[in-house]
Amino acid sequence: MKILKTLSVSFLLGAAMINSTANASTINTVINFSEIPAKTVCIKNPSAADVNKFFSETTVLSFEVYKAGSKEEITKIINLLKKDAAVESVTEGKLTGDYQSITLTLKSAKNKAWFAAVFKKAGLNTIRINNNPIVEVDKM
């Protein structure tokens, strides 16, 4: 009788274990990994939720460039940004992993179309603002 009780308890526990693993395996989780394109402008600022307002009010823009390239390529990007007459200064910041920090200071506020044109001239074709999807700078 003792063996029968032990077997029945073992059977119940085994059935419960199989049932719980069967339920756990039916939960589907979709994870999308997308590669960030090289030379992508990354802006992390809570004010950037409204892109039009953000770019039209800012005169100092701190952003990061993902995989900007070698030191020569970073210098080239900075020099191309400095060429515009509306730019007061461009400062190279700290390199953190694959992200190169750059600070752009303007003489007066400009609109988002101006920023898109300047980024495009510097070879920065894609942009990511906060956690939004990556888009071309023309479509921001």
Side-chain angles (χ1 to χ4, degrees), residues 87-126:
V87 175
E88 185 175 318
S89 69
V90 180
T91 308
E92 179 181 349
K94 196 167 110 174
L95 178 66
T96 307
D98 288 334
Y99 293 89
Q100 176 64 52
S101 175
I102 297 175
T103 302
L104 177 69
T105 306
L106 303 176
K107 294 175 183 173
S108 63
K110 299 292 180 183
N111 60 9
K112 78 174 183 178
W114 181 89
F115 281 97
V118 169
F119 288 151
K120 197 97 166 147
K121 285 180 192 174
L124 307 171
N125 296 323
T126 52

Side-chain angles (χ1 to χ4, degrees), residues 54-120:
F54 174 73
F55 283 113
S56 65
E57 292 178 350
T58 189
T59 57
V60 178
L61 178 65
S62 294
F63 61 95
E64 295 175 330
V65 179
Y66 179 73
K67 291 189 179 179
S70 65
K71 191 70 172 166
E72 293 81 24
E73 292 176 8
I74 294 168
T75 304
K76 183 180 174 184
I77 291 170
I78 289 173
N79 289 336
L80 288 170
L81 290 172
K82 283 182 182 178
K83 280 186 180 179
D84 196 284
V87 175
E88 185 175 318
S89 69
V90 180
T91 308
E92 179 181 349
K94 196 167 110 174
L95 178 66
T96 307
D98 288 334
Y99 293 89
Q100 176 64 52
S101 175
I102 297 175
T103 302
L104 177 69
T105 306
L106 303 176
K107 294 175 183 173
S108 63
K110 299 292 180 183
N111 60 9
K112 78 174 183 178
W114 181 89
F115 281 97
V118 169
F119 288 151
K120 197 97 166 147

Side-chain angles (χ1 to χ4, degrees), residues 19-40:
N19 191 22
S20 67
T21 57
N23 286 340
S25 65
T26 59
I27 298 172
N28 294 330
T29 303
V30 178
I31 300 173
N32 291 326
F33 292 102
S34 62
E35 182 65 29
I36 299 173
K39 296 186 179 178
T40 297

Side-chain angles (χ1 to χ4, degrees), residues 1-13:
M1 191 68 164
K2 190 172 187 178
I3 292 175
L4 188 59
K5 286 182 181 178
T6 305
L7 286 174
S8 65
V9 169
S10 297
F11 177 72
L12 287 173
L13 290 175

